[in-house]
Amino acid sequence: MKTILAFRESEYAWVHEKFPCVHPLLLPLCNKPFIEFLIDFAILAGSSAVRILCDGGLGEVERYCEDGSRWGIDLSYASIHPDDSIHAMLGKNRKFCGEERVMIVSGFSFIRYDKRYDYKSFVSSMPPGEWSTCPGGRITLTGVPTKAVPDWLIADLSLMPLDSMTSYYQASMETLKTGESRYVLPGYGDEPECAFGRNVVISKSVEIRKPVSIGNNVQLLGNAIIGPSAIIGSNVIIDRESSVESSIVFDNTYIGEHLEIIGRIASGNRLNDPKSGASIAMEDPHLLSGIKKNRHLRSLPRKIVHACVALVIIAAFFIPFIILWPLLKLGGHWKSSPASFLAERTDETMPLAKVEVDASGAAAAIAVALSLDRYFRLFRVVTGQLALIGSTPLLAGESRPDAPAYVPAYLPGVFSYAEAEEWAATGGDATIVERFHLAHSNPLTDIGLVIKAFINRFQEKSTI
Amino acid sequence: MTITETSKIGIAILSLYGTLDALSAPELRNNRSIIDPEKTVVIDLQQVDFIDSSGIGAIVSASRQKRQPSGGIVLACMNDRVRKVFEITNAQKLFHIFDDTTAAVDFASSRQSASA
Amino acid sequence: MSSIITLTLPGEIMFARLASQTASSLADLVIGENREESAKRKFCHAFELAVSEAVTNSVTHAEEFDAPQMLTVTFEFEPRQLTVSVRDANPPFSIDKSAPDIESYPVHGFGLKIIREIMDQFTYRRDGDANIITMSKSL
């Protein structure tokens, strides 16, 4: 048996508009991408191969699902035209279908199935034709049945159209409620209705009210109330005294302090009301409480403290730098190339040298461990162009839709706040950590974080 | 690149082998069946081991020469490498793409008779 | 330890293929034997495609100005990434970040879109009289 999953861009255009950061087929339902529910169902129905058809781009879906080996099936991709009928789709995929029975799931709709039913026997005994339908979605079977329908066999399912934020919210909440009993859902947990991902840090005073589903790399800070009915994605921070109830928080979202998220979908910088479909965009893509800027961020005392500490570091490392730098430069281990980085002010750039030290020798290893590759940048702190610690400077010209240079909370630094954390200093995790500290740090905590970043870099480089 | 041409129920089938890039694109562009605006052509891409934007440009330009731009050139048997480049450039939207040459020929033939 | 290989080629279209095939072979060499076959194929194909696009772009740009020039393709191997730079002496060109439209004809601007899509990093800069496109991808 084989399965074709067919979608048209027009069916999920609303997802592009409301949740532009995610491919519609990867839209998370209870922390599991939509397409995975369909793949699971295809496997339950006995499919050995699944083909995803779409009249739009499938690049992101393909990068996520790859060749299906993770599910033990053959997964392939092909394109269709928006007006292709089921007959046309079968013709375009004749080689894939072969002589086997084919189940075609078309439309952007959610299948309410139950993993305890024997869909495999059911599908192999059903006559060809339409199995289930809903506005905008249908399941069709082709080919002759291979078995007779046993009288006792029950394999119920129904389709639910995902045609708006309201139906998406309903499907998510329904999935959370029915949970593991009907679907295969991600996360671990000893208690029913509580699923936790990896690296979830929960402060003691946090209250969890079931049912909840929490993704990977999540921090729940003091006195936060999570649930009931909260779906929290990955790389999320829920700050102090905030509550999330009957809501969905997408990946890479930071919920600031003292916020009440009830009956909402929070995605990056957007807070959506699933009932009315209204959404409000905040200033900062990762900081839902970003409307309140950190007053300390650009204050003069902060600049003075940073400059003074930079001067101390310049003086302290002057001798190792003056010995090692010429040595490495002459030996070809110190490579410096000019590059243009996004400056603190929106739309401005600044030239900065990109230094790469080839840490193959002892001298180079010491230089890297002492962060001497950042030495020249310390002078920019004295002149006020860079912070001593802040955001990772971003190369100008790189296409980054969420580039912090376009939002208030971006302060390029010699060291980055992400380097002060034990989390990987890259990707979405780093962005979240940087946002958090840009919102909460002050000149004094910055000194501590610089020391932490320095130690982390030292340990990291000295263990390579 | 090598182009092998066969014909089935009045439809030209061009099977391409090798690399379709800026160097080999003129060969496809200048093919007689491609130049003929009335001729419906199925291009079999199974054996194309490399294609770049110049190759895509040659196929798009071929379809523009046809009287029926969306049905004059039908593509068949795209391998993953070729499909990926079509996907990045969004060129897949311009063509009907089949995973089987016979099915592509059937489709092309039905289109040709419908427009005749 | 990084190693550098440089190819100096006449700015003619036939050499774009030489450069792209060299890129694929070098990518295969640098990725090593321990990776999955599909990952190896993807990595090599990405470099073959990106270099083909960059060199073809450079050659066709030179032809527009009727000034075929020698061009230099540099491959730099680092422990965790491969970087390729294409340097030519053509007049500067503009990098349009907006997505080109496949419906428009003739089809233009897809080379850079492809490079951006398949490489981890892409930069264009003007160095004196030279255009330098640099592309890199982690292993």
Side-chain angles (χ1 to χ4, degrees):
Chain A
M1 221 277 286
K2 288 178 176 173
T3 296
I4 283 178
L5 306 173
F7 308 95
R8 292 173 182 85
E9 274 187 318
S10 58
E11 295 161 352
Y12 55 59
W14 68 270
V15 183
H16 278 307
E17 188 199 327
K18 298 293 181 189
F19 308 114
C21 52
V22 61
H23 189 287
L25 300 187
L26 300 178
L27 187 68
L29 280 119
C30 219
N31 284 325
K32 175 165 170 154
F34 163 74
I35 195 76
E36 273 200 66
F37 284 92
L38 300 191
I39 293 172
D40 283 354
F41 177 67
I43 294 167
L44 280 175
S47 293
S48 58
V50 174
R51 177 163 287 182
I52 302 175
L53 309 182
C54 190
D55 61 350
L58 283 171
E60 280 171 69
V61 180
E62 196 172 343
R63 274 192 288 278
Y64 179 79
C65 299
E66 298 182 324
D67 61 358
S69 50
R70 151 171 26 149
W71 295 279
I73 54 161
D74 284 329
L75 192 56
S76 55
Y77 309 84
S79 63
I80 49 169
H81 268 225
D83 51 355
D84 277 348
S85 63
I86 286 186
H87 178 72
M89 286 180 211
L90 290 169
K92 286 185 174 180
N93 296 281
R94 193 184 285 179
K95 196 189 258 175
F96 169 77
C97 299
E99 298 299 314
E100 289 188 54
R101 167 145 264 209
V102 179
M103 176 171 74
I104 303 126
V105 180
S106 62
F108 192 60
S109 48
F110 182 66
I111 307 176
R112 290 186 181 106
Y113 60 87
D114 190 327
K115 66 182 182 189
R116 292 164 294 192
Y117 288 142
D118 181 6
Y119 289 104
K120 192 174 174 180
S121 299
F122 198 77
V123 166
S124 55
S125 57
M126 284 265 288
E130 213 161 71
W131 179 4
S132 184
T133 181
C134 75
R138 65 162 82 160
I139 303 178
T140 314
L141 291 167
T142 66
V144 287
T146 52
K147 281 185 189 175
V149 192
D151 294 338
W152 47 266
L153 194 60
I154 305 167
D156 269 350
L157 62 76
S158 64
L159 287 175
M160 177 183 186
L162 291 177
D163 53 4
S164 64
M165 201 154 47
T166 312
S167 57
Y168 163 65
Y169 177 79
Q170 277 170 2
S172 298
M173 287 300 152
E174 200 183 289
T175 312
L176 179 67
K177 213 171 167 186
T178 49
E180 278 291 333
S181 59
R182 286 185 77 125
Y183 309 103
V184 178
L185 293 175
Y188 313 93
D190 296 332
E191 287 186 52
E193 300 188 328
C194 259
F196 292 90
R198 285 174 280 109
N199 193 23
V200 176
V201 181
I202 305 174
S203 300
K204 275 183 184 169
S205 51
V206 169
E207 197 179 324
I208 305 270
R209 298 171 180 169
K210 296 189 283 188
V212 293
S213 170
I214 295 174
N216 302 321
N217 303 324
V218 173
Q219 287 192 32
L220 308 175
L221 301 179
N223 295 320
I225 301 170
I226 309 299
S229 301
I231 302 171
I232 314 274
S234 293
N235 305 322
V236 169
I237 296 174
I238 310 289
D239 213 335
R240 293 181 282 263
E241 314 275 346
S242 286
S243 60
V244 178
E245 182 188 328
S246 303
S247 294
I248 303 167
V249 178
F250 269 49
D251 292 357
N252 305 316
T253 300
Y254 169 43
I255 306 288
E257 291 178 28
H258 305 288
L259 285 176
E260 266 193 0
I261 311 283
I262 300 174
R264 296 285 184 273
I265 303 174
S267 161
N269 69 331
R270 283 172 187 237
L271 194 58
N272 304 286
D273 178 1
K275 282 184 190 135
S276 66
S279 63
I280 312 162
M282 303 294 181
E283 285 180 71
D284 183 329
H286 294 280
L287 193 65
L288 213 51
S289 61
I291 35 179
K292 137 185 112 169
K293 290 182 193 174
N294 184 346
R295 283 172 318 198
H296 304 295
L297 209 59
R298 291 175 183 81
S299 65
L300 191 61
R302 185 186 192 118
K303 288 203 167 178
I304 292 170
V305 169
H306 279 215
C308 290
V309 178
L311 280 171
V312 170
I313 300 174
I314 289 170
F317 289 105
F318 177 71
I319 291 175
F321 180 77
I322 209 71
I323 296 168
L324 293 173
W325 178 59
L327 264 178
L328 295 168
K329 187 96 181 154
L330 286 172
H333 296 290
W334 180 290
K335 274 187 267 171
S336 171
S337 56
S340 180
F341 287 86
L342 297 173
E344 182 187 344
R345 282 170 189 267
T346 309
D347 295 333
E348 281 186 14
T349 58
M350 62 178 159
L352 270 183
K354 265 174 82 177
V355 175
E356 284 176 46
V357 181
D358 176 9
S360 52
I366 295 169
V368 173
L370 294 178
S371 291
L372 296 183
D373 52 332
R374 307 272 173 95
Y375 193 80
F376 282 121
R377 290 191 180 180
L378 291 166
F379 293 95
R380 301 287 187 110
V381 181
V382 180
T383 59
Q385 288 170 285
L386 283 177
L388 185 57
I389 188 159
S391 316
T392 307
L394 291 174
L395 272 173
E398 275 188 9
S399 60
R400 295 180 59 129
D402 63 340
Y406 306 115
V407 298
Y410 170 69
L411 185 69
V414 174
F415 296 98
S416 80
Y417 286 120
E419 288 173 323
E421 289 287 340
E422 286 167 13
W423 296 14
T426 54
D429 295 3
T431 316
I432 287 290
V433 171
E434 286 177 6
R435 293 301 176 288
F436 176 79
H437 286 300
L438 286 169
H440 289 285
S441 66
N442 60 52
L444 289 177
T445 56
D446 277 354
I447 298 175
L449 289 166
V450 169
I451 295 168
K452 268 181 86 177
F454 187 82
I455 293 170
N456 280 350
R457 290 197 88 224
F458 181 83
Q459 286 176 340
E460 185 195 331
K461 303 296 178 189
S462 55
T463 51
I464 283 174
Chain B
M1 184 183 67
T2 313
I3 302 177
T4 309
E5 185 163 351
T6 51
S7 179
K8 209 171 171 183
I9 46 174
I11 306 295
I13 306 167
L14 303 189
S15 302
L16 313 189
Y17 297 81
T19 298
L20 181 51
D21 58 4
L23 187 62
S24 54
E27 204 180 329
L28 180 66
R29 275 201 199 99
N30 299 329
N31 179 282
R32 264 197 311 186
S33 297
I34 293 287
I35 293 168
D36 182 351
E38 301 299 324
K39 190 92 180 163
T40 304
V41 177
V42 170
I43 301 180
D44 182 336
L45 296 158
Q46 174 93 57
Q47 301 297 330
V48 173
D49 49 33
F50 180 80
I51 190 168
D52 64 4
S53 64
S54 306
I56 299 273
I59 296 176
V60 173
S61 122
S63 76
R64 296 282 194 258
Q65 303 207 26
K66 299 294 175 189
R67 195 162 55 83
Q68 271 190 301
S70 69
I73 298 283
V74 179
L75 305 181
C77 306
M78 251 184 209
N79 59 45
D80 277 351
R81 281 180 148 209
V82 174
R83 191 178 51 76
K84 183 167 183 171
V85 186
F86 268 83
E87 161 101 25
I88 296 171
T89 55
N90 242 341
Q92 87 279 11
K93 291 194 167 193
L94 304 180
F95 300 95
H96 288 280
I97 303 168
F98 290 75
D99 71 352
D100 175 70
T101 313
T102 315
V105 170
D106 291 347
F107 172 82
S109 165
S110 65
R111 277 292 179 104
Q112 190 163 263
S113 16
S115 67
Chain C
M1 193 73 183
S2 69
S3 326
I4 294 175
I5 290 175
T6 304
L7 284 180
T8 304
L9 305 165
E12 292 167 33
I13 207 69
M14 64 186 289
F15 293 104
R17 190 179 290 177
L18 175 71
S20 64
Q21 287 175 348
T22 307
S24 174
S25 305
L26 289 175
D28 186 46
L29 199 70
V30 79
I31 196 168
E33 295 298 319
N34 300 330
R35 302 293 285 266
E36 264 181 46
E37 201 50 44
S38 65
K40 277 175 82 171
R41 274 202 306 270
K42 269 187 196 164
F43 189 74
C44 297
H45 180 236
F47 275 97
E48 186 176 5
L49 187 52
V51 170
S52 179
E53 297 296 353
V55 175
T56 304
N57 198 46
S58 169
V59 172
T60 47
H61 189 51
E63 282 169 354
E64 277 172 33
F65 293 93
D66 201 21
Q69 303 274 354
M70 296 298 277
L71 55 94
T72 311
V73 186
T74 306
F75 301 90
E76 188 174 356
F77 306 87
E78 284 160 278
R80 287 176 199 164
Q81 76 172 16
L82 178 58
T83 302
V84 186
S85 306
V86 178
R87 183 188 181 103
D88 64 41
N90 295 327
F93 58 89
S94 67
I95 297 273
D96 184 4
K97 283 188 183 166
S98 60
D101 179 14
I102 192 75
E103 302 280 353
S104 66
Y105 183 77
V107 178
H108 273 313
F110 281 99
L112 295 179
K113 180 172 169 30
I114 290 174
I115 295 172
R116 280 204 183 92
E117 183 84 19
I118 58 179
M119 289 282 125
D120 294 343
Q121 280 187 325
F122 163 78
T123 54
Y124 163 72
R125 67 188 167 92
R126 187 84 184 149
D127 181 16
D129 286 341
N131 295 306
I132 303 174
I133 282 180
T134 307
M135 308 165 285
S136 59
K137 193 170 177 71
S138 300
L139 297 182

